[in-house]
Amino acid sequence: MNTGKHNEHASLVDPFGRRIEYVRLSVTDKCNLRCFYCMPRGFKDFEQPEHWLTYNEIERVIRAFTELGVARVRLTGGEPLGRKNIAELTRRLTALPGLNDLSLSTNAVLLDRYAHDLHDAGISRINVSLDTLKPERFRTITGGELRPVLDGLMTAKKAGLAPIKINMVAMKGINDDEFEDMVEFCLEHDFTLRFIETMPMGATGEDAADHYLDLQEVKRQLAESYDLIPGVMPGGGPARYVQVRNTNLRIGFITPISQHFCESCNRVRVSVDGTLYLCLGQDDKVELRPLLRAGITDDALKAVLTEAIALKPEKHEFRDKPGQVVRLMSMTGG
Ligand code: SAM
Ligand code: SF4
């Protein structure tokens, strides 16, 4: 991957002084699972394929971002491994000058098949959603099977993808008896573990809110069994880390609700239909697809992106105005 000194002076800074250097790119809003907090069972209202940004269009948008100082991109969805030829897209993006970190969020159902290709295409860091190690519970939460996910994780490890981070949404009454089991699993396999608070989004908002758990409680539970010391993880993301003493295990806590991290937000999101969302929890957006399909020049595209950053809201209001955002997480790109 090219880590040259491309456009080192360009940068996107929003009205609150936050430097935007990270794009989360949703390559599909479809998914082969139905995690109840993310997508309602039976949900079928997906974006039409002709509205999906093509790989050429995605490459143009990401190139424009990198020329404006964005150095990191994460592929997400929906389930990104469900988009055809995803390894080809990763190869094209990793070749962009200025992009020095391309990562992926996945449910790992198809990871067994794609791990080696992804590694060869230049992806190193992956995040894998895994809320339980119990097959029956996995079915209840996601509607799918646990086995392919565990196989995918083991193949990813063998393929040399690292670090592998497990994202576990902590849910009262659902998986709050499994935190230690997940710590042991991550210790055994040398994975990083991150807990996430459920966010009320779209039609799944009420279900998610019913099981909300403040991660301070999770940390307190873990501290009874493990010696947790302050830790860090490079990358500047929203997780606050601790480390289990005398091990390599880092545990991150992502607390959008109990302690929001909006003041250090460094990211924007592009959805599969080419909508640039300035905040996960707000509606501020700019539609890029019509501009791309009307033949916008590269310079004009960069001007649009720069102007869009001026619309970035100060913070989300999940706590004060739950239910405000009607989009599902799978639509925006989580
Ligand atoms: N399908 C991939 C996956 O599951 O990792 C990528 C997309 S998924 C939308 C990205 C992340 O969003 C996952 O870690 C998932 O647990 C999280 N997520 C989805 N809905 C959520 C919600 N309502 N609250 C908190 N996290 C959520
Ligand atoms: Fe699919 Fe990921 Fe949403 Fe689960 S969290 S339904 S795996 S997009």
Side-chain angles (χ1 to χ4, degrees), residues 22-23 36 48 51 55 62 85 109 119 161 165 186 190 202 204 214 217 234-235 241 258 288 290-291 325:
Y22 181 33
V23 172
F36 74 88
Q48 301 167 28
H51 292 169
Y55 284 179
I62 299 300
N85 295 333
V109 171
H119 182 260
L161 292 167
K165 295 182 191 163
C186 291
D190 205 18
T204 61
D214 184 329
E217 170 56 25
Y241 281 93
S258 67
L288 301 177
L291 306 174
V325 179

Side-chain angles (χ1 to χ4, degrees), residues 24 31 35 37-38 75-80 105-107 127-129 131 167 169 196-201 204 208 329-330 333-334:
R24 293 180 70 103
C31 189
C35 304
Y37 48 76
C38 178
L75 303 179
T76 181
E79 175 45 42
S105 286
T106 175
N107 61 28
N127 289 358
V128 172
S129 294
D131 299 334
N167 281 345
V169 179
I196 306 179
E197 286 177 347
T198 52
M199 288 174 265
M201 305 271 303
T204 61
M329 184 74 106
S330 54

Side-chain angles (χ1 to χ4, degrees), residues 36-37 171 198-201 204-213:
F36 74 88
Y37 48 76
M171 292 171 282
T198 52
M199 288 174 265
M201 305 271 303
T204 61
E206 250 173 61
D207 286 344
D210 284 350
H211 299 288
Y212 169 75
L213 189 58

Side-chain angles (χ1 to χ4, degrees), residues 35-41 43 45 198-210 257 277 279-283 317-318 321-333:
C35 304
F36 74 88
Y37 48 76
C38 178
M39 220 190 273
R41 295 278 146 92
F43 179 81
D45 192 12
T198 52
M199 288 174 265
M201 305 271 303
T204 61
E206 250 173 61
D207 286 344
D210 284 350
I257 308 295
Y277 287 104
C279 172
L280 184 60
Q282 302 278 10
D283 270 332
E317 293 165 298
F318 286 131
K321 298 183 190 167
Q324 173 178 262
V325 179
V326 293
R327 298 189 308 272
L328 295 173
M329 184 74 106
S330 54
M331 288 175 177
T332 317

Side-chain angles (χ1 to χ4, degrees), residues 8-22 65 68-70 263 265-268 278 302 305-312:
E8 58 186 7
H9 302 300
S11 67
L12 293 169
V13 179
D14 81 356
F16 304 96
R18 295 170 298 193
R19 186 160 179 265
I20 307 306
E21 52 90 36
Y22 181 33
F65 268 119
L68 292 167
V70 165
E263 63 287 348
C265 184
N266 61 353
R267 64 200 53 198
V268 292
L278 283 314
K302 282 194 269 183
L305 298 179
T306 306
E307 279 164 30
I309 298 303
L311 299 175
K312 190 167 166 62

Side-chain angles (χ1 to χ4, degrees), residues 1-4 21 66 70-73 94 96-102:
M1 199 170 306
N2 192 327
T3 54
E21 52 90 36
T66 59
V70 165
R72 301 168 55 207
V73 171
T94 51
L96 290 174
L99 187 73
N100 57 31
D101 181 20
L102 182 68

